[in-house]
Amino acid sequence: MKRFVITLTFVLVSLTVMRAGDRPVTFDKLPHAAQKFIHTYFSSQKVTLATMDDDLVRPEYQVNLADGVIIEFENNGKLEKIQDRNGNIPEGIVPGKIIDTVMKYYPDEKIVEYEVGRKSYEVQLSNKVEIQFDSRFNVTEVDN
């Protein structure tokens, strides 16, 4: 009986692991908030690939656009991360206080990555400097 339980547990875990992973989805299968975000900020861009990280509890989504922008969304469609190697993240995505801080201390750099955490924000600049902010947009860490 013990061997049966161990074998059954192994099979169930294996099936779960095999099921998990990224799988392509169509645009209309993205959460509504993610679709709205893309229509608002990237209406002229073509979605080249959308995937769902098929986590059993909270799936996450990644959308690749034709110009190389990569956007990650939480399971509810809330923005998690955006990357644009050219530093052309549309106005309105990154909070103004973060932009003001970057412009004050790094006026010649562009934001190439923006990430939203539970109680924090992080940006990476074109010179590879990473800046972390708390929920009130105060700088908490700078990583050169």
Side-chain angles (χ1 to χ4, degrees):
M1 181 68 174
K2 184 176 180 182
R3 177 175 269 170
F4 175 75
V5 171
I6 291 172
T7 303
L8 181 61
T9 303
F10 177 75
V11 169
L12 290 174
V13 169
S14 296
L15 288 173
T16 301
V17 169
M18 287 180 359
R19 186 176 182 275
D22 293 345
R23 64 181 172 102
V25 294
T26 57
F27 183 79
D28 62 318
K29 297 296 182 193
L30 295 172
H32 178 72
Q35 292 179 35
K36 184 176 178 184
F37 180 92
I38 292 167
H39 281 302
T40 300
Y41 295 107
F42 299 97
S43 60
S44 65
Q45 285 296 315
K46 181 179 187 232
V47 173
T48 57
L49 177 66
T51 58
M52 179 175 77
D53 180 2
D54 201 8
D55 185 335
L56 295 176
V57 179
R58 293 182 164 235
E60 295 178 339
Y61 300 87
Q62 180 174 307
V63 177
N64 296 29
L65 303 177
D67 67 350
V69 173
I70 300 171
I71 311 167
E72 296 177 17
F73 297 100
E74 295 178 3
N75 67 319
N76 61 3
K78 182 180 173 198
L79 177 68
E80 191 171 71
K81 185 178 190 179
I82 183 168
Q83 299 170 293
D84 182 353
R85 64 181 178 267
N86 298 317
N88 296 321
I89 296 175
E91 188 175 319
I93 294 177
V94 180
K97 290 183 178 183
I98 291 176
I99 292 173
D100 292 345
T101 300
V102 169
M103 295 305 298
K104 180 177 179 180
Y105 296 105
Y106 300 93
D108 298 328
E109 304 302 326
K110 293 183 176 186
I111 296 173
V112 296
E113 187 176 300
Y114 169 64
E115 187 170 354
V116 181
R118 282 187 106 186
K119 295 181 180 180
S120 64
Y121 305 89
E122 185 174 325
V123 294
Q124 181 178 358
L125 306 180
S126 50
N127 64 354
K128 305 293 185 211
V129 169
E130 295 178 1
I131 308 171
Q132 290 185 348
F133 298 84
D134 64 15
S135 60
R136 294 185 177 175
F137 308 110
N138 298 307
V139 174
T140 58
E141 186 177 336
V142 177
D143 186 11
N144 292 325

